[in-house]
Structures are given as structure tokens and as C-alpha cells.
Amino acid sequence: MQAEEIERLIKISKERPLMPETYVPWHEMPAADDLYLPEVLTSLQGLPVYDTLTQQQKTDLGRHEVVQVLYSYGWGEAMFCVFMSKFILELPPDSPEHRFLIREIIEEYRHQEMFAQTITLLQGQPLKQTPMHRFSGHVSTKYLPADYLFMGSLSVELITDMYGNYSRRAPEIYNVLRKVFELHNIEEGRHIHFTKGLLERYTAKAGYIKKTLYSFVILMNIYFVRTMYVRKEIYERIGVPNPDAVYKDAAKNFRDKFTQNCLGLIIEFVDSWGGFNTATRWAWRLLLKAKV
Ligand SMILES: [Fe+2]
Ligand SMILES: [Fe+2]
């Protein structure tokens, strides 16, 4: 990416900052029929059990699941900020990359605060990550080289973007959440643009092995995002009978829906630099049921 292009992104970030304090109408209460997550993104819609739920149970399902989404974003962004803070130490402070990353860190911390405030407003009780999620998150933040971490972050940002698009276009969504997603979407659009530019440098010179590893890093990141919010405890909370069996069906149901609704941009991106090959295709098919 050219220096002028990065300068342009820095300028927008400085001149048109989106402050959660004023951008989100925090005082607005949800209307009686508002939803918290588009039905298509909930884990149970599409299963017979969904049709047996009362309207209140459906609304609560969306509320608990969106809390998981916000909590997971916040957690992922917090880890990425740790990485970026270390990464910029190596860059000349007057370089466009350094200055853009400072803007990104500032924005990511605002996002995390916004997500936390939203969770409180929704009276959410986020379920902690599983030990496996926590372990992988910490290990990769600490030990993976920069290009792999940018790959991972970009894949999560692309998923976030997709969620944001669904939520801000759905008229039935609680307005506070719509504005939260809208703000996030606009700023993440710039991060995605920057990161894609940065990664072009890495992918251009990557050989077969490097591309294979990049592809796996992205796959694992997406797999982790996907598995972070289908949780048995949520079905217990909303009073679904037989939560164990429902959880099993939901995990499969959500995997299929996620593949259908959320993978498009990721597949396009990985394909653009040749990340699908005989060493990676089988894993994408197995874990995400992706048609690659
Ligand atoms: Fe963010
Ligand atoms: Fe971001």
C-alpha cells in the first residue's frame, strides 16, 4: 500500500472520529418487538425446536447470543491491541504504518469500551471462553510472527463485518445495537483496507508452504470465532427442554448457516492469493464445510 493511501486513512480517522459516547443513542430503550440479533444469525433458527419457542424465548436467545458475540469481539480486539502495541515498537515513529496503527489501537480500545457498555446495557452475563480458546488466544498472541497475526485479525474483522452488515440492515434490531454495529463497521472497513494492503506484501512473496500456513491460521481463527457462542448454558437459561441434545443440533445447524451466510468474503480473500491447495482444502471442508 502506498504511503499516500495510508495518510488518507489516518486523515479520515482524525477528522471524522466516531465516538461511541455520542454516536450510539444509549438512552433509547428497546421497543417491545425489537430483536437483538437477526434471527438468521441465531444458533437455533432453522431447527424444529425454534418453532416451539415463545416470542420471549426467541428474543432472549438473541440477547444472550449477541452478548457472546460482543464479548468475543472485545476479547479478540484486546489481544490484538497487545500485539499491535509490541509491533509498533519496531517501526519508525514517523512512518505512516506506525501512525496508522496508533489510530487503529485508539479505535479498538474505544470499540472494546463500547462493547462492554452494550453488554451492561443488555444485562448480559457473558460466558467465559473455554480453556482451549483462552490457551490458543494467548499462545498465538505471544508467539506467532506478525504476518500470521495480521492474517488472523483480518479474518476475524471480515467476519465481524459480515455480522455488522446483517445487523445494521435488519429493521427489527434494537437501535442501540444497530448503531454499535454501524460504528464498528465503518471503522473496521478502514482497518480491513489497511491490513489487506499490508498483507499483499507478504502474500506476494509467499511460496507454497507459507501460503499453506497462512491458510491454516485463517481457518483456525474462523473456527474459533464460530464455536465461541453456541453454548449449552444459553439454552438452559432460556428454559429449552433437553439442552444437551439441543446443543448438539445447534452446533451443526449453526455450522451450516455460518458457512452459508458468513464465509463469502473470507473465501474470496484466501482464494485471491492461492490459499486453497491440496494441503489446506480438506481442512476447510472438514471444519467449516466450505465449498472450496
Ligand atoms: Fe474493532
Ligand atoms: Fe479492527
PDB file of all heavy atoms in Angstrom, residues 57 65 93 100 114 121 128 136 154:
ATOM      1  N   GLN A  57     -38.757 -16.221  24.503  1.00  0.00           N
ATOM      2  CA  GLN A  57     -37.569 -17.105  24.463  1.00  0.00           C
ATOM      3  C   GLN A  57     -36.698 -16.787  23.242  1.00  0.00           C
ATOM      4  O   GLN A  57     -35.476 -16.793  23.328  1.00  0.00           O
ATOM      5  CB  GLN A  57     -37.995 -18.579  24.424  1.00  0.00           C
ATOM      6  CG  GLN A  57     -38.419 -19.125  25.774  1.00  0.00           C
ATOM      7  CD  GLN A  57     -38.924 -20.556  25.672  1.00  0.00           C
ATOM      8  OE1 GLN A  57     -39.752 -20.871  24.816  1.00  0.00           O
ATOM      9  NE2 GLN A  57     -38.433 -21.428  26.533  1.00  0.00           N
ATOM     10  N   GLU A  65     -27.042 -14.496  22.869  1.00  0.00           N
ATOM     11  CA  GLU A  65     -26.038 -14.803  21.848  1.00  0.00           C
ATOM     12  C   GLU A  65     -25.308 -13.544  21.375  1.00  0.00           C
ATOM     13  O   GLU A  65     -24.103 -13.585  21.127  1.00  0.00           O
ATOM     14  CB  GLU A  65     -26.671 -15.581  20.687  1.00  0.00           C
ATOM     15  CG  GLU A  65     -27.076 -16.976  21.153  1.00  0.00           C
ATOM     16  CD  GLU A  65     -27.398 -17.980  20.060  1.00  0.00           C
ATOM     17  OE1 GLU A  65     -27.875 -17.581  18.988  1.00  0.00           O
ATOM     18  OE2 GLU A  65     -27.197 -19.180  20.291  1.00  0.00           O
ATOM     19  N   PRO A  93       8.730   5.881  14.395  1.00  0.00           N
ATOM     20  CA  PRO A  93       7.502   6.541  14.853  1.00  0.00           C
ATOM     21  C   PRO A  93       6.896   7.515  13.852  1.00  0.00           C
ATOM     22  O   PRO A  93       5.717   7.860  13.956  1.00  0.00           O
ATOM     23  CB  PRO A  93       7.933   7.267  16.129  1.00  0.00           C
ATOM     24  CG  PRO A  93       9.416   7.246  16.122  1.00  0.00           C
ATOM     25  CD  PRO A  93       9.868   6.117  15.265  1.00  0.00           C
ATOM     26  N   PHE A 100      -0.662   4.965  11.505  1.00  0.00           N
ATOM     27  CA  PHE A 100      -1.984   4.359  11.286  1.00  0.00           C
ATOM     28  C   PHE A 100      -2.310   3.375  12.415  1.00  0.00           C
ATOM     29  O   PHE A 100      -3.434   3.340  12.920  1.00  0.00           O
ATOM     30  CB  PHE A 100      -2.091   3.627   9.935  1.00  0.00           C
ATOM     31  CG  PHE A 100      -3.454   2.998   9.762  1.00  0.00           C
ATOM     32  CD1 PHE A 100      -4.528   3.752   9.311  1.00  0.00           C
ATOM     33  CD2 PHE A 100      -3.688   1.675  10.127  1.00  0.00           C
ATOM     34  CE1 PHE A 100      -5.807   3.212   9.213  1.00  0.00           C
ATOM     35  CE2 PHE A 100      -4.969   1.115  10.037  1.00  0.00           C
ATOM     36  CZ  PHE A 100      -6.019   1.884   9.568  1.00  0.00           C
ATOM     37  N   MET A 114     -17.049   0.275  24.110  1.00  0.00           N
ATOM     38  CA  MET A 114     -18.426   0.306  23.595  1.00  0.00           C
ATOM     39  C   MET A 114     -19.099  -1.062  23.760  1.00  0.00           C
ATOM     40  O   MET A 114     -20.256  -1.157  24.157  1.00  0.00           O
ATOM     41  CB  MET A 114     -18.374   0.726  22.119  1.00  0.00           C
ATOM     42  CG  MET A 114     -19.682   0.632  21.376  1.00  0.00           C
ATOM     43  SD  MET A 114     -19.535   1.292  19.690  1.00  0.00           S
ATOM     44  CE  MET A 114     -18.681  -0.052  18.840  1.00  0.00           C
ATOM     45  N   LEU A 121     -25.652  -2.780  29.297  1.00  0.00           N
ATOM     46  CA  LEU A 121     -26.993  -2.297  28.977  1.00  0.00           C
ATOM     47  C   LEU A 121     -27.960  -3.464  28.733  1.00  0.00           C
ATOM     48  O   LEU A 121     -29.136  -3.408  29.098  1.00  0.00           O
ATOM     49  CB  LEU A 121     -26.926  -1.397  27.732  1.00  0.00           C
ATOM     50  CG  LEU A 121     -28.222  -0.742  27.300  1.00  0.00           C
ATOM     51  CD1 LEU A 121     -28.613   0.367  28.263  1.00  0.00           C
ATOM     52  CD2 LEU A 121     -28.086  -0.165  25.891  1.00  0.00           C
ATOM     53  N   LYS A 128     -17.535 -17.141  29.868  1.00  0.00           N
ATOM     54  CA  LYS A 128     -16.092 -17.054  29.578  1.00  0.00           C
ATOM     55  C   LYS A 128     -15.698 -17.984  28.443  1.00  0.00           C
ATOM     56  O   LYS A 128     -16.369 -18.999  28.197  1.00  0.00           O
ATOM     57  CB  LYS A 128     -15.315 -17.466  30.830  1.00  0.00           C
ATOM     58  CG  LYS A 128     -15.390 -16.450  31.938  1.00  0.00           C
ATOM     59  CD  LYS A 128     -14.065 -15.696  32.049  1.00  0.00           C
ATOM     60  CE  LYS A 128     -14.222 -14.375  32.768  1.00  0.00           C
ATOM     61  NZ  LYS A 128     -14.627 -14.511  34.165  1.00  0.00           N
ATOM     62  N   SER A 136      -5.285 -20.996  23.196  1.00  0.00           N
ATOM     63  CA  SER A 136      -4.864 -20.677  21.825  1.00  0.00           C
ATOM     64  C   SER A 136      -4.706 -19.181  21.623  1.00  0.00           C
ATOM     65  O   SER A 136      -3.785 -18.734  20.942  1.00  0.00           O
ATOM     66  CB  SER A 136      -5.880 -21.158  20.797  1.00  0.00           C
ATOM     67  OG  SER A 136      -6.356 -22.393  21.155  1.00  0.00           O
ATOM     68  N   LEU A 154      -7.347 -10.088  10.325  1.00  0.00           N
ATOM     69  CA  LEU A 154      -8.145  -9.735   9.154  1.00  0.00           C
ATOM     70  C   LEU A 154      -9.322 -10.697   8.992  1.00  0.00           C
ATOM     71  O   LEU A 154     -10.450 -10.271   8.706  1.00  0.00           O
ATOM     72  CB  LEU A 154      -7.271  -9.747   7.885  1.00  0.00           C
ATOM     73  CG  LEU A 154      -8.026  -9.419   6.603  1.00  0.00           C
ATOM     74  CD1 LEU A 154      -8.545  -7.984   6.618  1.00  0.00           C
ATOM     75  CD2 LEU A 154      -7.152  -9.622   5.372  1.00  0.00           C
TER      76      LEU A 154
END
